[in-house]
Amino acid sequence: MARFGMVIDSAKCVGCMDCVVACKTENGVPEGFNRDWIEYEVQGKYPSLHMEIRSERCNHCNNPPCVYCCPTGASHVHDLGGVVLITHNVCIGCKACIASCPYDARFIHSDGYADKCTFCIHRVEKGLDPACVSVCPTRCMSFGDLEDPNSEVTRLLQSRNHHALMPEAGTKPCILYLV
Amino acid sequence: MNPVSRRKFLKISAATISVAAAGSAIVKGAEALGNKSGKQVKGVQKIPTYCDICFWKCGAIAYVNDGKLWKIEGNPDDPLSRGRLCPRGTGGVGAHYDPDRLKSPLIRRNERGREEWVEVTWDEAFTHIADKLQKIKEQYGPEAVALFAHGIGGNFFKHTLKAFGTPNIAAPSFAQCRGPRDVGFRLTFGEDVSSPERTDIKNSGCIVLIGSHLGENMHNSQVQEFAEAVGNGASIIVVDPRFSVAASKAKFYLPIKPGTDLALLLAWMNVIVREGLYDKDYVQKYGFGFEQFAVELTLYTPEWAYPETGIEPELIRLTAREMARYRPATLVHPGRHVTWYGDDAQRSRAIALLNALLGSWGRKGGFFYPVSMDVPGYPYPAYPKPQKVNVDNPDNKYPFAHEAITTGIRDATISGKPYPVKGWFVYATNLIHALPNEAETIKAIQNLDLLVVVDVIPSEIAGWADVVLPESVYLERYDDINVEWFRDPFVALRQPVVESPHEQKPNWWMAKKLAEKLGLGAFYPWKDIEEYINHRLTAAGLSFDELKKKGILQGSKQPNYFDEGVPAEFSTPSGKIEFYSLQLAKAGFDPVPKYNRPSPGPPGSFRLLYGRSPVHSFSRTQSNHILMDMTAENEVWINADVARRMELKTGDYIRLKNQDDILSNKVKVKATERIRPDCVYMVHGFGHNSRGLKYAFQKGASDAQLLTRYVTDPLMGGTGMNVNFVTIEAEASHG
């Protein structure tokens, strides 16, 4: 079974937000909301600083609290690649998923349903990368099957140190950052 | 605009053109797709064009879904975008849908700057402009009209105004941006760095960035190559008072005291010469005046530079050796917006000299030699010869200015000397934000009989205009073809993807109509721009139909480096790389750059620094809703300790007050470790005060408003603008 994930090289990322813009136009994300975003994590004291820049979004967790807490079944795990999706017309906008997500990845769409990153499943089904991955000028993002030992994402994880966000939450996130 | 001397042998004959590999299946040409004409194609269409959100001109593919613009991606065949646009290009969709766009031609109906207009027809607008221009011509001569233009879209207005008889055509990209760099490199190598820059970043082993914030400054190809170099393990050295994004990728970060870069450059060269680390063969073969240069450098030890720059001598030595270790694949980046302190041409020359020591000019990983396709210009009649010399640089006061100086035209407009300037045309450049000292710009405007502004949005300069001409955004128009100078030769097409939603028109149409109104129709022998483009392409043996389908046509590979066969010729007086410049000495300037300590600000003030956001271009994208959803206002970066002392925290609103008591709009604080305590920083382009920009109105603060002072570069007239100081004023209403 495929298990889709992303591997993002934070050493190459410049935080330009092209991933955010591309998601917006690709998916028609309404004004005032974004499905992905940039985080800067700065450590140290000037001028001895370390900064990690990360493109963040729904982690499509292997252990997704948003799916478990959804009272209607709108939030679910898709057959293809274990992607976490929301069936809009089944969602009642109760916000339980928003409260349960440790990554703050969800928002209530202006049409009333919970919304978030879909890994651009409509593109992935056609064999394309998610929009954010395909536009990135630094080519710092890779998308693929984390279970496939020959995939680019697996190869990258084997070759470099990496970390996930909030592993202590026990969500088993599928977005990993190379350091 | 970029008169770089080129070598004849690189002219590529049309016969050598090979078609780029078809990386994308472009299915349709550019039939009109908008709704206005009633023509609407069902389904998704992909139309290639090139971007205009900045001046980089990246090849793009626009997606139109059921006749509506959906999204824009990079064109994989394009050497500039390599299939990936920057966030501004991706967000270009928002320019088409911007509700605040200029919609119809406007004529002022009250005093200037009140932004009160009467909507007129195009014919009324052109008649009004032509009448005024003829009157100016009769009374003062055609030279009394000046054009300020930015980008390739200005080509046809330049043509019309040259036909009218004026030589006074300028762009802020020279005296307010890259001019000093190009002068410094010309004086040294006999050629400038051009745009897009000839920096071979992807092949560099060591990249030195001096105040250049690649990654925040999203010049697409450069950022792509920078990330590639980082991925390849290149050694990055960043010199900046601010811990930039690039600094976070650096092996060495040098937190320099603002305004002292030249001291650091001299000390680096001192170490490299003293320790014999320079490329001796290269210097011997191509250099002129090295011995005198070396003697002048002896004073500038790292210990001398330490109190000036704040950079420890050992770090200066270490980084100098690091550069030497990777030479010639060490690129000391020339920067782009380099009008900082008024000594900018000499600082840029020092950067050129350091590159010369490292042997990086003409070498892989340093500076490549750009090539181009040979596409002849349109065979127009000869322009009338102006009776007066250019107004911007009287008596050749700035002897090394090789382009017109915007602020020189402004000075002449104010003083009437050397002769009066009574008409301004402004194309796609918001002079209120682009030039320092807004009051001088407004004073000049008051002396005009005519100010015409061509723009897509109601910018601040449009607010001062007598006549405003609304332009179609780049996604709605043809422009001149882009015959680019880059690694590999190619030509790119901008073509309409959708129709303009209102009365907007393309620049070529306006420039042609205006010329006809002025009785200069003979200068426009073509019916429309398609005929013009077809004529140029046919003369080069290229197919317009094919270019419409592909967006890009590539020529064959040509040599880029000396060791690939590029002749090592230098268009300097000596024919060599000039370590010691006799032409500078003759003109009364330092033949080897000398350091001058920058003036300190008033006690308790901070030096105001500014830069770029990756999601905005100048002051022209703040009404693009998609890009504003990324960054809707700018922030003032304040060192975290300073902020703590002043009891300020991130998100608080403040105002900045400069040394001349100019108070900014309210602006948010960003308290951060990422900046020195003696300066503050903000992104340029925000703080709009034009009432037409409803969405962008007073979001953030304008750095330009605070740049009341500038130091003019004595070599070339550039305006050094990092010489302003601000204090932080509490803002009563938080939020």
Side-chain angles (χ1 to χ4, degrees):
Chain A
M1 268 279 276
R3 180 60 234 184
F4 290 146
M6 271 186 200
V7 174
I8 302 176
D9 188 346
S10 62
K12 286 168 85 171
C13 177
V14 296
C16 73
M17 294 188 260
D18 206 0
C19 46
V20 188
V21 179
C23 175
K24 208 165 186 79
T25 56
E26 175 70 31
N27 297 301
V29 180
E31 206 168 313
F33 300 100
N34 291 307
R35 289 181 179 178
D36 52 351
W37 61 93
I38 298 291
E39 285 292 334
Y40 295 82
E41 192 176 310
V42 182
Q43 288 169 341
K45 194 83 193 144
Y46 187 87
S48 303
L49 298 172
H50 178 266
M51 181 165 79
E52 183 173 283
I53 307 172
R54 290 190 301 263
S55 169
E56 297 188 4
R57 61 191 49 61
C58 169
N59 277 278
H60 295 276
C61 304
N62 266 322
N63 192 22
C66 53
V67 172
Y68 304 149
C69 75
C70 178
T72 67
S75 282
H76 64 281
V77 177
H78 190 56
D79 292 341
L80 181 61
V83 177
V84 175
L85 296 177
I86 302 159
T87 311
H88 296 160
N89 59 4
V90 178
C91 174
I92 54 171
C94 74
K95 304 184 191 170
C97 56
I98 293 179
S100 76
C101 175
Y103 306 106
D104 207 11
R106 292 172 169 238
F107 58 90
I108 297 292
H109 189 280
S110 38
D111 290 341
Y113 53 81
D115 197 18
K116 67 165 194 71
C117 163
T118 62
F119 266 168
C120 280
I121 193 79
H122 64 288
R123 290 174 58 94
V124 172
E125 281 167 351
K126 287 185 205 154
L128 300 169
D129 274 332
C132 54
V133 174
S134 76
V135 300
C136 175
T138 70
R139 291 169 164 80
C140 76
M141 303 163 81
S142 304
F143 176 82
D145 184 359
L146 297 169
E147 299 282 312
D148 176 358
N150 299 315
S151 69
E152 191 195 356
V153 282
T154 311
R155 191 182 52 74
L156 283 167
L157 292 176
Q158 282 164 352
S159 66
R160 298 264 300 272
N161 288 334
H162 56 270
H163 69 92
L165 296 182
M166 289 191 233
E168 68 279 9
T171 51
K172 297 187 184 158
C174 289
I175 296 188
L176 298 140
Y177 295 90
L178 302 176
V179 291
Chain B
M1 214 173 79
N2 221 335
V4 182
S5 59
R6 305 291 183 186
R7 290 132 304 126
K8 273 193 188 128
F9 92 107
L10 284 173
K11 294 278 183 196
I12 292 148
S13 79
T16 65
I17 300 310
S18 69
V19 169
S24 54
I26 306 300
V27 286
K28 281 273 180 185
E31 294 92 296
L33 294 161
N35 293 328
K36 210 168 57 169
S37 63
K39 282 186 273 177
Q40 194 192 82
V41 180
K42 282 278 165 205
V44 175
Q45 297 212 294
K46 301 186 203 175
I47 301 161
T49 187
Y50 68 84
C51 186
D52 191 42
I53 298 283
C54 84
F55 43 77
W56 207 256
K57 303 191 274 287
C58 290
I61 295 171
Y63 286 64
V64 177
N65 191 5
D66 290 347
K68 284 196 137 179
L69 180 63
W70 169 27
K71 63 176 178 178
I72 313 170
E73 295 178 350
N75 184 343
D77 293 344
D78 170 46
L80 291 171
S81 75
R82 305 199 287 183
R84 296 179 182 226
L85 296 176
C86 87
R88 299 166 299 168
T90 306
V93 174
H96 169 64
Y97 290 114
D98 178 0
D100 292 339
R101 287 177 62 174
L102 291 166
K103 296 179 176 70
S104 71
L106 305 171
I107 292 182
R108 179 169 61 82
R109 66 163 184 174
N110 215 319
E111 69 251 41
R112 283 201 176 109
R114 290 273 299 267
E115 301 177 69
E116 290 174 24
W117 315 99
V118 182
E119 287 192 5
V120 295
T121 64
W122 279 103
D123 193 59
E124 286 167 328
F126 290 134
T127 302
H128 181 90
I129 295 167
D131 286 351
K132 293 266 187 183
L133 286 177
Q134 297 293 21
K135 280 192 190 117
I136 293 170
K137 191 176 191 170
E138 280 159 26
Q139 200 174 342
Y140 304 99
E143 301 85 357
V145 177
L147 167 67
F148 302 87
H150 184 270
I152 198 164
N155 283 11
F156 295 105
F157 275 104
K158 285 181 191 167
H159 176 57
T160 294
L161 285 167
K162 283 180 189 167
F164 182 72
T166 183
N168 293 313
I169 296 172
S173 52
F174 183 71
Q176 280 71 46
C177 196
R178 59 174 170 74
R181 172 195 80 181
D182 290 342
V183 170
F185 273 70
R186 278 179 175 226
L187 285 165
T188 310
F189 297 110
E191 281 188 49
D192 59 36
V193 188
S194 64
S195 171
E197 283 81 2
R198 56 203 291 178
T199 47
D200 199 15
I201 297 173
K202 68 176 177 187
N203 293 312
S204 300
C206 176
I207 301 163
V208 185
L209 299 175
I210 303 169
S212 174
H213 53 342
L214 288 183
E216 290 160 278
N217 165 350
M218 269 315 288
H219 297 155
N220 193 0
S221 335
Q222 289 201 38
V223 176
Q224 292 197 21
E225 292 191 22
F226 181 63
E228 193 176 334
V230 168
N232 292 337
S235 177
I236 313 290
I237 299 171
V238 171
V239 180
D240 201 316
R242 189 179 63 97
F243 189 83
S244 58
V245 163
S248 74
K249 319 289 182 198
K251 182 172 174 186
F252 298 98
Y253 168 57
L254 280 59
I256 196 162
K257 198 184 289 178
T260 66
D261 310 85
L262 187 45
L264 175 67
L265 285 158
L266 292 169
W268 271 340
M269 293 195 281
N270 171 292
V271 174
I272 287 168
V273 170
R274 181 185 293 228
E275 298 186 6
L277 302 173
Y278 60 99
D279 190 331
K280 294 189 183 96
D281 289 346
Y282 184 94
V283 168
Q284 169 83 31
K285 220 156 130 192
Y286 307 132
F288 169 84
F290 177 76
E291 288 73 23
Q292 286 155 290
F293 161 80
V295 169
E296 293 233 2
L297 282 180
T298 50
L299 293 172
Y300 306 122
T301 62
E303 284 70 22
W304 163 83
Y306 176 42
E308 301 299 330
T309 60
I311 309 300
E312 300 203 0
E314 206 40 42
L315 186 53
I316 296 177
R317 289 199 171 85
L318 263 179
T319 43
R321 289 170 196 150
E322 184 82 357
M323 286 179 227
R325 203 176 124 204
Y326 290 94
R327 73 169 167 77
T330 295
L331 174 76
V332 186
H333 196 286
R336 186 172 180 110
H337 183 90
V338 296
T339 40
W340 299 344
Y341 299 101
D343 64 349
D344 307 302
Q346 286 284 23
R347 184 187 65 251
S348 297
R349 181 163 143 72
I351 292 173
L353 289 168
L354 178 55
N355 280 298
L357 284 176
L358 297 164
S360 66
W361 183 266
R363 311 279 282 280
K364 200 168 184 177
F367 294 83
F368 62 83
Y369 272 75
V371 293
S372 171
M373 274 158 98
D374 192 5
V375 181
Y378 194 92
Y380 288 123
Y383 296 124
K385 200 172 152 40
Q387 300 300 302
K388 299 174 189 161
V389 295
N390 294 33
V391 79
D392 62 289
N393 192 8
D395 304 323
N396 215 20
K397 184 174 173 193
Y398 304 109
F400 297 101
H402 59 269
E403 291 182 34
I405 303 163
T406 45
T407 28
I409 294 177
R410 186 176 72 176
D411 291 345
T413 310
I414 293 170
S415 67
K417 299 206 169 73
Y419 55 84
V421 177
K422 291 290 171 184
W424 280 12
F425 262 79
V426 181
Y427 175 81
T429 173
N430 186 3
L431 294 182
I432 299 292
H433 281 244
L435 306 183
N437 199 317
E438 178 182 326
E440 283 182 52
T441 306
I442 292 168
K443 196 171 169 192
I445 289 170
Q446 301 304 349
N447 280 354
L448 295 174
D449 293 342
L450 178 67
L451 170 56
V452 180
V453 171
V454 185
D455 212 330
V456 296
I457 54 168
S459 58
E460 281 70 23
I461 190 67
W464 287 96
D466 302 318
V467 184
V468 179
L469 302 179
E471 194 185 11
S472 304
V473 303
Y474 68 102
L475 296 158
E476 302 156 359
R477 69 181 198 236
Y478 279 105
D479 261 320
D480 209 343
I481 45 176
N482 180 29
V483 186
E484 194 58 279
W485 286 90
F486 203 53
R487 275 197 190 84
D488 298 310
F490 69 95
V491 58
L493 178 70
R494 179 174 292 153
Q495 62 182 331
V497 171
V498 282
E499 286 187 353
S500 292
H502 314 97
E503 298 305 312
Q504 300 93 344
K505 291 285 185 187
N507 59 70
W508 66 265
W509 182 89
M510 295 183 229
K512 178 171 160 58
K513 290 284 172 197
L514 180 63
E516 286 163 1
K517 211 46 130 178
L518 289 163
L520 302 169
F523 286 88
Y524 283 89
W526 38 268
K527 174 170 71 45
D528 58 27
I529 192 170
E530 288 180 78
E531 191 180 309
Y532 162 89
I533 293 173
N534 192 45
H535 189 284
R536 287 192 67 190
L537 291 172
T538 305
L542 299 170
S543 156
F544 191 15
D545 282 341
E546 195 181 350
L547 186 56
K548 280 185 185 175
K549 287 194 191 89
K550 297 197 162 85
I552 303 282
L553 297 176
Q554 292 178 341
S556 47
K557 179 88 190 120
Q558 296 291 316
N560 294 124
Y561 311 110
F562 292 155
D563 64 7
E564 286 181 350
V566 175
E569 291 167 1
F570 305 95
S571 308
T572 54
S574 64
K576 297 198 156 199
I577 300 172
E578 300 209 331
F579 285 94
Y580 191 90
S581 172
L582 291 173
Q583 60 171 332
L584 275 175
K586 204 178 292 170
F589 298 109
D590 299 325
V592 176
K594 281 193 168 66
Y595 170 71
N596 291 301
R597 189 175 297 156
S599 310
S605 66
F606 304 88
R607 190 182 289 272
L608 175 63
L609 304 177
Y610 59 89
R612 304 286 183 227
S613 157
V615 291
H616 286 285
S617 292
F618 315 123
S619 61
R620 63 198 261 185
T621 49
Q622 290 77 27
S623 59
N624 178 322
H625 286 224
I626 294 175
L627 297 180
M628 284 297 263
D629 231 9
M630 304 298 120
T631 303
E633 55 189 293
N634 57 356
E635 302 165 306
V636 175
W637 295 41
I638 301 173
N639 174 273
D641 289 339
V642 172
R644 211 170 295 125
R645 252 195 335 266
M646 299 184 76
E647 297 182 353
L648 292 169
K649 54 184 194 308
T650 295
D652 287 352
Y653 276 98
I654 54 150
R655 287 178 198 263
L656 297 176
K657 191 197 232 177
N658 82 352
Q659 68 282 326
D660 299 316
D661 285 338
I662 299 290
L663 195 64
S664 77
N665 291 346
K666 67 174 187 174
V667 59
K668 272 183 185 168
V669 168
K670 176 188 169 103
T672 176
E673 287 293 342
R674 294 176 55 196
I675 190 164
R676 286 174 62 96
D678 54 3
C679 49
V680 295
Y681 170 86
M682 63 203 289
V683 165
H684 170 78
F686 287 88
H688 286 279
N689 286 326
S690 164
R691 280 184 288 142
L693 293 171
K694 295 186 190 77
Y695 188 67
F697 187 69
Q698 295 201 339
K699 283 187 177 148
S702 162
D703 58 308
Q705 196 183 15
L706 298 165
L707 306 180
T708 47
R709 303 218 179 158
Y710 55 92
V711 178
T712 306
D713 193 310
L715 272 65
M716 47 65 70
T719 55
M721 297 180 279
N722 289 4
V723 298
N724 289 271
F725 293 87
V726 293
T727 52
I728 293 160
E729 307 289 314
E731 169 66 16
S733 61
H734 285 236

